[in-house]
């Protein structure tokens, strides 16, 4: 693959100004998603002289930008990531000649990428399969038909054969795969809440089921985040029902997806004002009130080290045998400990 030139033009926003006042931020806001260029990567490319402004190199990432500036970014061929087989323990719930279902622990990345070249689920699967994983050497995500975030725990299905890979991918594309997640969130979603009734994209269905409908796309200035939009982006629908209420301060919710977008549950619940406890990206700095829930529970929530999200159930049609398969995963120990702390706080309150 040869290097190519990405040409970008700074255009004015609704206020007549550029999308950001400095070069690295402005480029991060307008670079196409498929280019996969983070702000840190752009800053490095600027420093290396790989960015031209109006035909001349510019190496100051803090340089001011102006509407009409033309930037050219030289994209070198991606460096191949050598995916090595690594002996990493896996919790296998099902396996046959065509697919495998894994209960992934929090902290494990699914697929190798710059910055996470090893220690991933794919590295572990390569060892487990003896190097025979669907699509290696061809597909960008060999055998992986869906992902869950590094710090989300729970169920994943991975294809071992091409026929399973295509069949599973088709089910995910049609949104026919049954997936439920358990999350611990700030507050308690309630149809009687006037704030929620006034939040765009938020509605309630029978049984006090929260429904969030929007478009999702990369955030304009932070390429690591997703943003709720109502024009452009990709259609996304999330539903959630309250399983357990912790004195109105927090709740355990059951979430299910009509669509499957990056960070969908996390960003949709945050949009509704019920961000996940422990979420470093969308959870904000909100804290549980110790006066209501108790100091121990408040500290347990404040110190929870990841987004409190677990892929608890997974159901699909076996793409080869056509058998209906359904799997469940119990909550991991850290989320159980968080729930125990919240329950104890309610009892003592």
């Amino acid at each position: 693959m040869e290097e190519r030139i990405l040409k970008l033009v700074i255009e004015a926003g609704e206020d007549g100004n550029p999308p950001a006042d400095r070069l690295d931020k402005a480029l991060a806001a307008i670079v196409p998603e498929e280019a996969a260029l983070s702000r840190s990567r752009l800053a490095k490319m600027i420093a290396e002289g790989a960015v031209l402004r109006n035909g001349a190199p510019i190496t100051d990432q803090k340089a001011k930008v102006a509407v009409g500036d033309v930037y050219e970014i030289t994209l070198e061929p991606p460096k191949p990531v050598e995916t090595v087989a690594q002996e990493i323990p896996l919790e296998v719930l099902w396996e046959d000649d065509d697919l495998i279902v894994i209960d992934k622990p929090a902290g494990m990345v699914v697929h190798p990428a710059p910055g996470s070249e090893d220690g991933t689920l794919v590295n572990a699967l390569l060892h487990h399969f003896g190097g025979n994983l669907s699509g290696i050497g061809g597909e960008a995500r060999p055998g992986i038909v869906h992902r869950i975030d590094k710090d989300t725990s729970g169920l994943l299905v991975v294809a071992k054969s091409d026929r399973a890979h295509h069949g599973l991918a088709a089910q995910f594309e049609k949104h026919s795969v049954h997936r439920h997640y358990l999350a611990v969130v700030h507050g308690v979603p309630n149809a009687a809440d006037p704030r929620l009734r006034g939040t765009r994209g938020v509605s309630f269905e029978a049984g006090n089921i929260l429904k969030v409908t929007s478009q999702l796309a990369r955030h304009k200035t932070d390429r690591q985040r997703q943003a709720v939009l109502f024009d452009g982006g990709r259609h996304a629908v999330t539903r959630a029902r309250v399983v357990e209420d912790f004195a109105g301060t927090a709740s355990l919710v059951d979430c299910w997806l009509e669509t499957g977008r990056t960070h969908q549950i996390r960003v949709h619940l945050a949009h509704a004002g019920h961000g996940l406890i422990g979420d470093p990206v969308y959870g904000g700095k909100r804290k549980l009130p110790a006066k209501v829930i108790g100091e121990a529970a408040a500290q347990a929530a404040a110190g929870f080290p990841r987004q409190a999200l677990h892929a608890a159930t997974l159901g699909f049609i076996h793409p080869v045998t056509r058998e209906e398969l359904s799997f469940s995963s119990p909550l991991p120990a850290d989320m159980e400990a968080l729930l125990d702390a919240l329950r104890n706080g309610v009892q003592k309150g």
Side-chain angles (χ1 to χ4, degrees):
M1 186 184 297
E2 298 180 353
E3 70 179 24
R4 60 190 180 94
I5 304 297
L6 180 65
K7 189 173 182 179
L8 303 172
V9 180
I10 301 294
E11 297 181 353
E14 294 181 0
D15 58 2
N17 296 318
D21 59 350
R22 50 184 274 177
L23 179 57
D24 56 348
K25 291 183 179 180
L27 292 181
I30 65 173
V31 70
E33 184 171 347
E34 58 270 19
L37 294 177
S38 65
R39 183 177 158 195
S40 60
R41 171 97 184 275
L42 283 167
K44 183 177 180 181
M45 295 176 75
I46 293 168
E48 293 173 345
V51 177
L52 303 182
R53 178 170 66 184
N54 302 325
I58 181 168
T59 57
D60 180 6
Q61 68 186 52
K62 298 181 181 180
K64 298 294 184 181
V65 300
V67 174
D69 280 349
V70 177
Y71 292 89
E72 295 179 18
I73 301 175
T74 301
L75 298 176
E76 297 180 351
K79 296 179 181 179
V81 175
E82 183 180 357
T83 308
V84 297
Q86 293 179 301
E87 188 173 1
I88 301 170
L90 290 173
E91 186 171 349
V92 179
L93 276 64
W94 168 281
E95 185 175 8
D96 62 14
D97 290 340
D98 291 288
L99 57 84
I100 185 170
V101 176
I102 301 292
D103 195 345
K104 185 188 84 69
M108 176 181 274
V109 175
V110 171
H111 199 283
S116 301
E117 287 85 0
D118 60 13
T120 72
L121 177 62
V122 168
N123 295 111
L125 289 173
L126 279 171
H127 181 272
H128 183 80
F129 297 149
N132 181 27
L133 180 62
S134 172
I136 282 288
E139 296 283 343
R141 294 186 288 168
I144 305 297
V145 291
H146 69 125
R147 303 190 192 194
I148 55 179
D149 297 333
K150 172 185 176 183
D151 289 324
T152 297
S153 54
L155 298 172
L156 277 165
V157 58
V158 178
K160 294 174 62 176
S161 66
D162 287 336
R163 60 182 182 174
H165 197 198
H166 293 302
L168 287 170
Q171 291 183 56
F172 276 95
E173 185 176 355
K174 293 178 181 177
H175 311 303
S176 61
V177 177
H178 177 79
R179 287 183 288 170
H180 278 248
Y181 294 72
L182 290 172
V184 186
V185 304
H186 289 277
V188 183
N190 193 312
D193 185 346
R195 178 191 60 80
L196 282 176
R197 291 201 302 269
T199 301
R200 186 177 182 186
V202 175
S203 60
F204 279 86
E205 297 177 334
N208 200 39
I209 293 175
L210 172 72
K211 180 181 179 182
V212 183
T213 305
S214 76
Q215 307 295 109
L216 292 181
R218 287 265 189 108
H219 194 280
K220 287 184 177 181
T221 58
D222 186 346
R223 308 300 285 176
Q224 305 305 311
R225 294 167 57 97
Q226 295 291 309
V228 168
L229 305 174
F230 295 96
D231 184 23
R234 304 178 71 188
H235 182 63
V237 179
T238 303
R239 289 178 173 84
R241 68 176 183 86
V242 175
V243 177
E244 194 168 355
D245 178 345
F246 302 106
T249 64
S251 54
L252 174 66
V253 296
D254 171 24
C255 308
W256 60 101
L257 305 172
E258 186 173 308
T259 56
R261 310 300 184 201
T262 301
H263 297 177
Q264 181 175 320
I265 289 174
R266 298 165 62 191
V267 69
H268 264 175
L269 289 179
H271 173 72
H274 296 288
L276 273 62
I277 286 176
D279 191 333
V281 178
Y282 305 101
K285 298 180 179 180
R286 190 171 171 184
K287 296 182 178 180
L288 299 189
K291 291 183 178 180
V292 177
I293 201 73
E295 189 64 37
Q299 288 184 4
F304 198 73
R306 65 177 180 100
Q307 62 263 12
L309 183 63
H310 178 68
T313 63
L314 174 66
F316 55 90
I317 303 297
H318 193 293
V320 178
T321 68
R322 309 310 299 169
E323 178 184 1
E324 290 189 15
L325 298 177
S326 182
F327 304 92
S328 61
S329 167
L331 281 173
D334 61 349
M335 286 185 65
E336 281 287 10
L338 173 62
L339 293 175
D340 286 343
L342 292 173
R343 290 172 185 134
N344 289 335
V346 171
Q347 292 171 1
K348 294 177 181 178

